[in-house]
Amino acid sequence: MPLSDDQLADIEAARANAKPTLRAVSPGMEKHLYTAQPVLDHGFVRVVDYMGDDSAIVQAARVSYGAGTKHVQSDAGLIRYLMRHWHSTPFEMCEIKLHVKLPVFVARQWIRHRTANVNEYSARYSILDREFYIPEPDALAAQSVVNNQGRGETLQGEEAERVLRMLKQDSDRAYDHYEEMLSQDGQAGLARELARMNLPANVYTQWYWKVDLHNLFHFLRLRADAHAQYEIRVYADAICEMVKDWVPAAYSAFEDYRMGGVQISGKGVECLRRMLAGEKVTQETSGMSKGEWREFEGIIK
């Protein structure tokens, strides 16, 4: 069970203390409240709170643009216009607060998105649980030979077993020493803030993460992408399912223009025009580097 008994008790208490509200609510998001979505072997994502919905985005845009737009565009059409033209402020009117349990190495990659409010579980005050991320065999891969940040072929047979054995043994050994250093049996015991430094990066941590929809979309565009690291991508995928229910019109526009769309440089646009005019364009005549041309070909083919 990814949630502790204390956390489950807190959730049950919150459920039992439901209060009526006059603020706008999203029926799709309401069903996600207090429900932890399991991720990886011990992790989860759950919605703690949220503010706004699709109508909040539209409301903010019409304050900015004036009442005249209401007679010209539908709500969904206006949201698509905002997304298409990279307007950000209306999407900032919606916010979400998530409770996330994740491996430390994923958290350190996640925290690079500095446009959120974060409060993390403190190992200075509390003792971390003996919970480590151990990949499934099909998630064990060698280093990519073409991408310094990516994975290559999946490890097989004895090599996969050897790596899994080392991961498990090293994790358990580090935690055993962590407990020994904290021990109060006949000694003072090492301070928690020092003992934690011996733990590996696959130990689990937890945090509350609050972010507005504009910056959340930026996070999801990068982390739910097929090229993102698997261990953070599965968290992004779980959040996508929640956002899809929360702001369906905004998510549909995001999916179309950001996740499903592409960005082409000025040189790329010029090459497309030349191709449409019947000209044969090559990398040598495109004005692009080999890397740019390879990516451009990937888009048009």
Side-chain angles (χ1 to χ4, degrees):
M1 173 63 69
L3 286 165
S4 69
D5 291 340
D6 287 343
Q7 288 170 338
L8 288 171
D10 288 344
I11 290 172
E12 289 303 316
R15 279 177 172 160
N17 194 34
K19 298 178 180 178
T21 179
L22 295 178
R23 70 180 178 92
V25 297
S26 167
M29 184 56 100
E30 288 290 307
K31 69 181 183 182
H32 290 292
L33 283 173
Y34 309 125
T35 301
Q37 176 62 42
V39 184
L40 297 179
D41 48 0
H42 300 293
F44 63 77
V45 177
R46 73 180 181 94
V47 180
V48 177
D49 200 2
Y50 71 96
M51 181 181 77
D53 57 6
D54 280 328
S55 65
I57 301 168
V58 172
Q59 179 190 54
R62 287 185 172 135
V63 166
S64 174
Y65 295 157
T69 57
K70 185 173 180 63
H71 306 296
V72 180
Q73 295 172 301
S74 67
D75 287 357
L78 175 55
I79 287 173
R80 288 181 63 80
Y81 174 88
L82 296 169
M83 185 69 70
R84 186 165 63 250
H85 291 278
W86 296 86
H87 290 272
S88 58
T89 309
F91 296 102
E92 293 173 358
M93 298 299 107
C94 295
E95 291 193 348
I96 188 171
K97 180 163 67 173
L98 300 172
H99 178 193
V100 187
K101 183 178 180 181
L102 67 173
V104 164
F105 74 93
V106 177
R108 297 304 160 253
Q109 188 179 38
W110 191 315
I111 205 68
R112 294 290 299 163
H113 297 266
R114 300 183 297 275
T115 49
N117 305 113
V118 185
N119 194 53
E120 187 175 358
Y121 183 94
S122 176
R124 293 187 66 197
Y125 307 119
S126 303
I127 297 174
L128 291 168
D129 294 329
R130 186 191 284 265
E131 289 184 319
F132 305 95
Y133 169 61
I134 304 297
E136 293 295 327
D138 60 2
L140 290 173
Q143 177 65 43
S144 170
V145 296
V146 296
N147 182 356
N148 290 333
Q149 298 185 56
R151 299 178 180 181
E153 296 296 321
T154 303
L155 299 182
Q156 303 290 333
E158 292 183 3
E159 179 65 7
E161 292 177 6
R162 183 180 72 88
V163 170
L164 280 174
R165 185 167 58 252
M166 287 192 293
L167 286 171
K168 293 174 182 177
Q169 289 176 350
D170 288 353
S171 298
D172 284 332
R173 183 182 300 111
Y175 196 88
D176 288 342
H177 291 165
Y178 173 65
E179 285 188 316
E180 288 178 25
M181 287 186 285
L182 293 172
S183 174
Q184 301 293 316
D185 297 335
Q187 59 179 342
L190 188 66
R192 293 172 182 175
E193 66 179 20
L194 289 172
R196 62 180 173 170
M197 66 183 174
N198 196 48
L199 291 171
N202 66 333
V203 70
Y204 273 86
T205 185
Q206 299 183 42
W207 63 29
Y208 282 102
W209 192 69
K210 183 172 73 71
V211 65
D212 65 61
L213 184 60
H214 166 65
N215 286 298
L216 178 59
F217 277 152
H218 179 68
F219 171 85
L220 295 176
R221 183 174 66 85
L222 295 174
R223 302 307 182 180
D225 184 86
H227 299 94
Q229 182 175 342
Y230 166 77
E231 283 77 15
I232 196 169
R233 190 172 73 244
V234 289
Y235 282 93
D237 288 342
I239 295 171
C240 280
E241 293 304 310
M242 298 170 180
V243 177
K244 186 185 301 183
D245 291 335
W246 173 29
V247 283
Y251 187 83
S252 176
F254 164 73
E255 206 170 26
D256 192 12
Y257 290 115
R258 300 292 184 269
M259 299 298 285
V262 294
Q263 185 170 339
I264 299 179
S265 68
K267 289 179 180 178
V269 172
E270 181 58 29
C271 286
L272 282 176
R273 288 174 177 155
R274 291 162 59 190
M275 290 174 175
L276 290 171
E279 182 181 344
K280 180 177 175 58
V281 181
T282 65
Q283 187 261 315
E284 289 75 16
T285 63
S286 68
M288 300 183 193
S289 67
K290 290 182 179 179
E292 287 177 306
W293 180 253
R294 183 171 60 249
E295 293 172 6
F296 177 70
E297 283 193 312
I299 290 172
I300 63 175
K301 292 183 178 180

